[in-house]
Amino acid sequence: MRIYEEDIIAAIATPVGDAAISIVRLSGKNSISLVDKFFRGTITLKHAQPNSINYGKIIDINGSTVDEVLAAVFKAPKSYTAEDMVEINCHGGWYITNKILEIFLKAGARLAEPGEFTKRAFLNGRIDLTQAEAIADLIQSKSDLARKTSIEQLQGNLSKKINEISKKIIDLLGIIELELDFVEENIVLKEHSTLLDEINKISNEILELIKSFGIGKFYREGVKLIIVGKPNSGKSSLLNTLLNENRAIVTPIPGTTRDLIEENLVINGALFKIVDTAGLRHSEDIIEMEGIRRTYEKVENCDLILYIIDVTTTNFNEDIEFIHTLSKYQKKIILVFNKIDLNFDRSSLEIFKKFTSYPQLEISALKHINIQTLFNEIFNSIFWVSSLDSQTSIFITNERHKQALTKSYEALKIAESSASKMMSGEFIALDLRNALNALELITGKITTDEILNNIFSKFCIGK
Ligand SMILES: Nc1nc2c(ncn2[C@@H]2O[C@H](COP(=O)(O)OP(=O)(O)OP(=O)(O)O)[C@@H](O)[C@H]2O)c(=O)[nH]1
Ligand SMILES: [Mg+2]
């Protein structure tokens, strides 16, 4: 019997405030009989069918009715936590919900910590750590791609992959250890060269996962996109066109936008956090200078820059200068030539040809010309990665997983180097074991209180 099973945890699982329905949730070995003390229905919940919903009243300690409720009963191990559970659907409203919770807390239940229901699901072996983390990500997901990666992780795709890799390491360890048993007889089960080869294959698989982190993070957190360019080039007009609303002020006066304007936009299911900025120029105006300073600050931690050029400009020297400055930030840049609905001298744009590493695109923000192409260019510049296997599409989205994979990868590299130096199997086995341990941190086969606290404290109460 695990110690925590003696505890009954309780929490409000819905947002606090006026609502049609709220849910008070309890989990623990004696949770059903605890609720029965205050539940009056046609049957007691103890005798109710598992996974049934039961109509009744909740009464307080004096026997007066607090609310009419529906109580859902789940019996171990078929519940969210894999323990006996009750979920009481009461009338929404801060007062009623808290009153019901309070009745159970006074009767011996304890207020659940953030994520404690999910933590129990993990401790009871119903889900592994990557799945618990996926639940938190799923709740927080703000785009369809984020939802998709979380649900795939929740369904165990990542754990499956990690377990497959672990199995390969375990198999190698088995052979090496067997060989060590027969060291006297000088029996060689695997040549060092084959061993080296196999370790190398495994480390490459891990490297692929590590590499997927960049893109996985975009899936989860969104892409930071910044629109920059000279005053009046049409940055705010483009923002409005992308959002399809009049979000930013647009005027023919250069220097209209002084501060950063931030909006979210979903393109092909992926979240983009778009920032419109103050036009870049050599200004003496302190408000404008501050705006420009903020622009550069944003550039530093953005993922993609749209540099807007007004094609009707007669001299592009300043644009060239600003693009050079921006290129020092080592970010992805798309050069967007705007206002092509107006007359302009196409040959004057030749000067931008030298920026071969930046995609170039002609649009009109005002007349909505080529906007769909721009959307595609924006999306592809981030999400088109040919080296990733789109069929398996397993992405690492979590910093903790990335760290553990890196640790595992490093241990495998040491194992490789030992194997290539023809060192004794004992050394190689030690490094392989380190690599394996690091992988098991991801799924939670090996875990520490620190890791668990870190993960579950990020959950909301009641989850
Ligand atoms: N003809 C035409 N005019 C445009 C286009 N895009 C923007 N404009 C006009 O250019 C002027 C400046 O547009 P804004 O969107 O305010 O430019 P901005 O880059 O945000 O300017 P600042 O905020 O001052 O840096 C406005 O008069 C817009 O109507 C376009 O594609 N075609
Ligand atoms: Mg503007």
Side-chain angles (χ1 to χ4, degrees):
M1 163 80 59
R2 298 179 176 91
I3 308 164
Y4 62 82
E5 280 179 6
E6 293 296 327
D7 260 9
I8 299 172
I9 52 171
I12 299 169
T14 40
V16 183
D18 289 350
I21 296 165
S22 288
I23 298 175
V24 177
R25 171 179 231 211
L26 296 96
S27 181
K29 196 159 156 271
N30 299 312
S31 57
I32 299 177
S33 41
L34 179 78
V35 176
D36 264 334
K37 289 185 189 161
F38 303 95
F39 180 79
R40 296 292 174 270
T42 41
I43 50 169
T44 58
L45 298 175
K46 209 167 110 192
H47 295 105
Q49 289 289 326
N51 308 329
S52 66
I53 293 186
N54 305 273
Y55 170 76
K57 292 184 302 195
I58 293 288
I59 56 162
D60 65 13
I61 198 108
N62 307 314
S64 42
T65 304
V66 177
D67 194 10
E68 286 185 15
V69 301
L70 290 173
V73 177
F74 304 94
K75 292 193 178 162
K78 291 193 171 172
S79 77
Y80 184 75
T81 56
E83 300 168 350
D84 282 354
M85 278 185 86
V86 185
E87 286 183 2
I88 297 164
N89 293 245
C90 60
H91 287 100
W94 184 86
Y95 185 76
I96 303 173
T97 319
N98 274 284
K99 175 112 184 156
I100 293 175
L101 176 67
E102 207 181 282
I103 289 171
F104 297 121
L105 293 182
K106 279 198 178 133
R110 166 172 74 70
L111 187 65
E113 291 162 16
E116 198 172 0
F117 289 89
T118 312
K119 188 176 183 179
R120 287 191 173 196
F122 166 70
L123 293 174
N124 291 325
R126 193 181 70 74
I127 54 173
D128 71 19
L129 265 195
T130 67
Q131 290 171 306
E133 289 169 312
I135 292 168
D137 290 346
L138 191 60
I139 293 172
Q140 282 159 18
S141 58
K142 290 183 180 60
S143 74
D144 203 48
L145 278 182
R147 176 201 60 77
K148 203 164 152 260
T149 31
S150 306
I151 200 84
E152 279 172 8
Q153 189 173 318
L154 179 57
Q155 285 166 348
N157 289 6
L158 177 61
S159 330
K160 206 173 130 217
K161 180 80 185 168
I162 299 293
N163 290 336
E164 272 169 26
I165 300 176
S166 302
K167 167 98 179 21
K168 289 180 193 166
I169 300 179
I170 292 168
D171 288 349
L172 278 186
L173 269 170
I175 293 172
I176 295 172
E177 278 160 8
L178 196 65
E179 240 178 52
L180 287 173
D181 288 344
F182 291 103
V183 83
E184 312 271 279
E185 289 85 344
N186 222 348
I187 295 177
V188 176
L189 297 171
K190 223 179 225 345
E191 292 296 337
H192 268 72
S193 58
T194 348
L195 187 65
L196 185 63
D197 212 43
E198 286 176 19
I199 300 175
N200 187 260
K201 273 193 196 132
I202 299 173
S203 67
N204 275 340
E205 256 183 280
I206 294 182
L207 187 62
E208 282 300 300
L209 283 177
I210 297 173
K211 279 204 255 167
S212 77
F213 178 73
I215 217 170
K217 198 159 163 259
F218 290 142
Y219 272 38
R220 197 175 75 155
E221 292 172 11
V223 181
K224 293 187 218 97
L225 184 158
I226 179 166
I227 305 178
V228 296
K230 281 171 52 185
N232 236 21
S233 54
K235 298 177 296 300
S236 302
S237 305
L238 179 60
L239 176 77
N240 291 347
T241 301
L242 293 176
L243 296 173
N244 206 13
E245 65 177 273
N246 272 331
R247 170 65 181 85
I249 300 174
V250 168
T251 77
I253 306 162
T256 303
T257 309
R258 297 298 185 95
D259 208 345
L260 304 172
I261 300 176
E262 309 199 20
E263 282 297 326
N264 287 349
L265 177 68
V266 173
I267 305 176
N268 295 349
L271 178 69
F272 285 79
K273 296 174 172 170
I274 305 187
V275 184
D276 176 25
T277 62
L280 297 177
R281 67 172 157 188
H282 304 291
S283 171
E284 298 290 320
D285 178 317
I286 47 171
I287 303 177
E288 206 174 357
M289 277 161 64
E290 174 61 15
I292 293 171
R293 192 193 63 75
R294 289 183 186 194
T295 300
Y296 280 116
E297 203 174 80
K298 275 279 166 189
V299 164
E300 236 163 78
N301 55 50
C302 78
D303 304 308
L304 175 63
I305 300 170
L306 295 191
Y307 188 88
I308 316 298
I309 300 150
D310 178 345
V311 290
T312 64
T313 311
T314 43
N315 183 331
F316 291 109
N317 286 346
E318 265 191 327
D319 282 306
I320 303 279
E321 180 197 330
F322 289 132
I323 296 169
H324 274 302
T325 309
L326 290 168
S327 68
K328 299 202 180 94
Y329 289 83
Q330 306 279 331
K331 304 284 178 181
K332 290 193 167 119
I333 302 181
I334 301 177
L335 300 184
V336 181
F337 297 95
N338 188 31
K339 308 196 188 180
I340 58 161
D341 55 297
L342 299 175
N343 285 329
F344 67 102
D345 173 14
R346 182 171 294 277
S347 64
S348 68
L349 301 184
E350 295 281 315
I351 183 171
F352 293 98
K353 285 257 159 68
K354 61 178 171 186
F355 296 110
T356 46
S357 49
Y358 304 141
Q360 310 194 0
L361 206 73
E362 295 180 2
I363 66 156
S364 164
L366 191 71
K367 298 278 158 68
H368 294 224
I369 300 169
N370 265 348
I371 300 303
Q372 188 54 48
T373 321
L374 178 60
F375 274 130
N376 293 343
E377 192 66 51
I378 291 173
F379 183 84
N380 290 339
S381 70
I382 297 290
F383 290 101
W384 193 82
V385 183
S386 57
S387 69
L388 285 178
D389 180 353
S390 57
Q391 276 184 327
T392 50
S393 73
I394 292 171
F395 296 104
I396 300 301
T397 58
N398 185 305
E399 183 66 44
R400 188 184 76 81
H401 299 167
K402 186 189 159 204
Q403 278 174 16
L405 285 166
T406 308
K407 230 167 138 184
S408 182
Y409 180 76
E410 284 164 1
L412 287 172
K413 284 287 146 190
I414 301 175
E416 267 177 46
S417 120
S418 309
S420 69
K421 286 183 201 140
M422 309 293 281
M423 280 164 80
S424 149
E426 276 167 70
F427 293 103
I428 304 172
L430 188 73
D431 294 323
L432 288 181
R433 214 155 264 297
N434 284 341
L436 183 65
N437 288 351
L439 289 184
E440 293 188 335
L441 284 173
I442 298 177
T443 50
K445 263 186 202 141
I446 300 178
T447 180
T448 65
D449 279 350
E450 195 194 336
I451 293 177
L452 292 188
N453 289 341
N454 231 322
I455 292 173
F456 291 105
S457 62
K458 294 195 186 96
F459 277 72
C460 33
I461 289 188
K463 188 70 216 176

